[in-house]
Amino acid sequence: MKIFIKGLGSIGQRHIRNIKFLYPKSELFVLKSNKKRFLISKNFKRLKSTVEKYFKLNVLNSLEELNQIKIDCAFICSPTSKHLEDAKFFLDRGIYVFIEKPIDSDKKKVSNIKKLYLSNKKIMIGYQMKFNPLIIYLKKILSSKKYGSPYYAYIENHESIEKVHPYEDYKKSYTSRKDLGGGVVLGFIHEIDYFLYLFNEYNVIKKIFLTSKVSKLSIDVEDILNASILLKHKKFRRKLICNISLNYFQTPRSRKIQIIFKDKTLYADLNKNTIVFKGDKNEFKKSFNFKSNDIFKREVSYFLKCVKNKKPIDKKFSLNNGISTFEFSDNLKSQFV
């Protein structure tokens, strides 16, 4: 399989490692760069070797060279604000494209791509949390109505941005810079995407939300979001309120989901990979045995199987899903004060 990679930061390198594990004989191509692209270890440390040398990547002088190579697919892992710009070459040629989350940070570019490519079934947006066993399990619980209809849900992702990528100065990261599409809403957009996925049987009735910068972090984007969302079931008309809380400054980190039913409350810890079920008279815990990279591996495996077998991307990973999640998130981001 011949694969092009744009963006060789931590996520780009993670995908390369997983591609090479899944398809050892694959050929990987990148564009020539004037900057030295350093290697990042699995535990996020900067190493001396360059990415091109370590992974034995084929370096091209221009994208036009790909017309002769006839690649099978492309991975777009550049900064958020560059996603659609970098994807256009491949979209125009009908090549399978994997775009890291979110789809972009510019609503005009997203609107344009919506007009041109919405029917394209070869585009996947990288929301790997929907390959997370906890999210899959919670979705089954909600769909089965095992505990009835939920009354309330709470979702949080709180983590210090200074500690996310220890190999780089957080102030230079795309997640911290407005010009590169940063900010906690898009930076932690996975929570918004799986919220919409878990509760896709509901319509959003009303949103009350606030984003701001409250910490002393040296960034020019929002570092906190608090949102309250009222939903109503599409069929049964039952209501549900969900609160979403995101921030860039909390230590220790915390990533949790709470769902309250009539007689049962579920507490999912996405860092510890556990779900605790609590009722009036009983309590039990379910643990999930997997490593963080297993989720990314499943995501890449799914995409490359679609490419290999020429199958359409499932709607929950599709361009349409990526656009919907972006539009919902962009609306939250717009209330920055």
Side-chain angles (χ1 to χ4, degrees):
M1 194 173 292
K2 296 180 179 181
I3 303 168
F4 179 81
I5 308 284
K6 181 62 186 291
L8 296 177
S10 63
I11 190 62
Q13 292 185 42
R14 184 191 289 272
H15 289 325
I16 290 173
R17 285 190 176 92
N18 290 333
I19 290 167
K20 284 192 166 287
F21 175 83
L22 294 165
Y23 292 86
K25 295 182 180 180
S26 59
E27 296 180 67
L28 303 184
F29 299 84
V30 297
L31 272 180
K32 183 178 181 180
S33 174
N34 294 324
K35 297 180 180 179
K36 183 178 179 180
R37 296 182 281 207
F38 58 87
L39 187 66
I40 302 167
S41 70
K42 293 179 181 179
N43 58 345
F44 297 107
K45 292 184 178 179
R46 186 184 294 212
L47 303 178
K48 292 182 179 180
S49 180
T50 63
V51 180
E52 294 89 340
K53 182 179 179 180
Y54 182 84
F55 290 114
K56 299 178 181 179
L57 305 178
N58 298 289
V59 181
L60 307 176
N61 292 310
S62 69
L63 285 176
E64 282 63 36
E65 292 181 48
L66 292 173
N67 292 324
Q68 282 70 49
I69 297 169
K70 294 182 179 180
I71 63 165
D72 296 290
C73 61
F75 280 73
I76 307 301
C77 308
S78 47
T80 301
S81 63
K82 304 291 184 182
H83 282 178
L84 291 179
E85 176 185 329
D86 291 337
K88 191 175 187 307
F89 177 90
F90 309 98
L91 296 177
D92 288 345
R93 287 160 177 76
I95 296 170
Y96 276 88
V97 182
F98 179 100
I99 303 176
E100 255 308 323
K101 63 82 187 170
I103 186 171
D104 205 277
S105 58
D106 188 324
K107 58 185 176 182
K108 290 183 179 179
K109 288 193 290 183
V110 174
S111 177
N112 186 52
I113 216 78
K114 185 176 183 178
K115 294 175 183 176
L116 295 174
Y117 301 105
L118 195 58
S119 62
N120 189 323
K121 307 300 182 184
K122 296 182 178 182
I123 305 169
M124 179 171 172
I125 311 300
Y127 285 109
Q128 81 274 356
M129 289 300 289
K130 282 181 284 197
F131 290 93
N132 185 312
L134 276 80
I135 299 299
I136 294 171
Y137 186 82
L138 289 176
K139 180 62 176 174
K140 288 180 179 178
I141 290 288
L142 290 165
S143 298
S144 69
K145 305 293 189 294
K146 182 176 182 178
Y147 301 120
S149 297
Y151 297 154
Y152 174 77
Y154 172 73
I155 292 171
E156 72 173 42
N157 189 357
H158 303 154
E159 183 171 10
S160 171
I161 195 175
E162 295 177 275
K163 300 177 182 179
V164 173
H165 290 162
Y167 59 84
E168 68 177 349
D169 181 349
Y170 80 91
K171 295 186 289 293
K172 297 179 181 179
S173 170
Y174 76 93
T175 56
S176 303
R177 295 170 50 183
K178 185 177 181 180
D179 63 320
L180 296 180
V184 75
V185 174
L186 296 184
F188 288 168
I189 197 172
H190 282 301
E191 269 57 39
I192 296 168
D193 185 69
Y194 72 64
F195 154 71
L196 294 172
Y197 172 63
L198 290 175
F199 299 107
N200 64 359
E201 295 180 352
Y202 292 76
N203 288 320
V204 173
I205 304 302
K206 188 174 182 179
K207 299 192 292 287
I208 302 172
F209 50 91
L210 183 65
T211 60
S212 190
K213 180 184 178 298
V214 298
S215 72
K216 293 183 179 180
L217 290 167
S218 298
I219 60 178
D220 62 353
V221 288
E222 81 281 354
D223 59 15
I224 188 169
L225 162 74
N226 277 319
S228 295
I229 304 162
L230 175 65
L231 305 102
K232 183 180 286 186
H233 198 280
K234 295 175 182 177
K235 182 178 180 180
F236 302 112
R237 314 304 291 171
R238 294 170 183 147
K239 293 180 181 178
L240 162 72
I241 286 181
C242 180
N243 285 341
I244 300 176
S245 176
L246 310 174
N247 78 55
Y248 265 171
F249 48 77
Q250 179 172 307
T251 301
R253 65 178 184 157
S254 179
R255 197 174 194 185
K256 298 178 180 179
I257 304 170
Q258 177 185 4
I259 304 177
I260 299 176
F261 299 88
K262 182 178 182 292
D263 298 312
K264 190 78 67 177
T265 300
L266 276 58
Y267 300 88
D269 191 317
L270 298 176
N271 289 327
K272 296 180 179 179
N273 296 336
T274 60
I275 300 178
V276 176
F277 302 76
K278 290 186 178 182
D280 283 338
K281 299 180 180 180
N282 55 41
E283 175 181 328
F284 69 95
K285 181 169 74 172
K286 182 176 178 63
S287 298
F288 298 79
N289 185 22
F290 66 95
K291 296 179 181 179
S292 176
N293 190 56
D294 292 340
I295 303 170
F296 293 92
K297 200 178 292 182
R298 291 167 189 163
E299 174 187 49
V300 168
S301 177
Y302 169 79
F303 175 69
L304 293 181
K305 282 181 181 178
C306 287
V307 174
K308 187 176 180 180
N309 298 316
K310 295 181 171 55
K311 289 187 176 181
I313 301 298
D314 187 279
K315 63 181 181 180
K316 62 178 173 285
F317 309 116
S318 67
L319 174 65
N320 188 42
N321 176 80
I323 291 173
S324 297
T325 298
F326 169 80
E327 290 176 340
F328 189 93
S329 303
D330 186 62
N331 184 236
L332 300 179
K333 195 177 177 71
S334 68
Q335 295 299 312
F336 182 88
V337 293

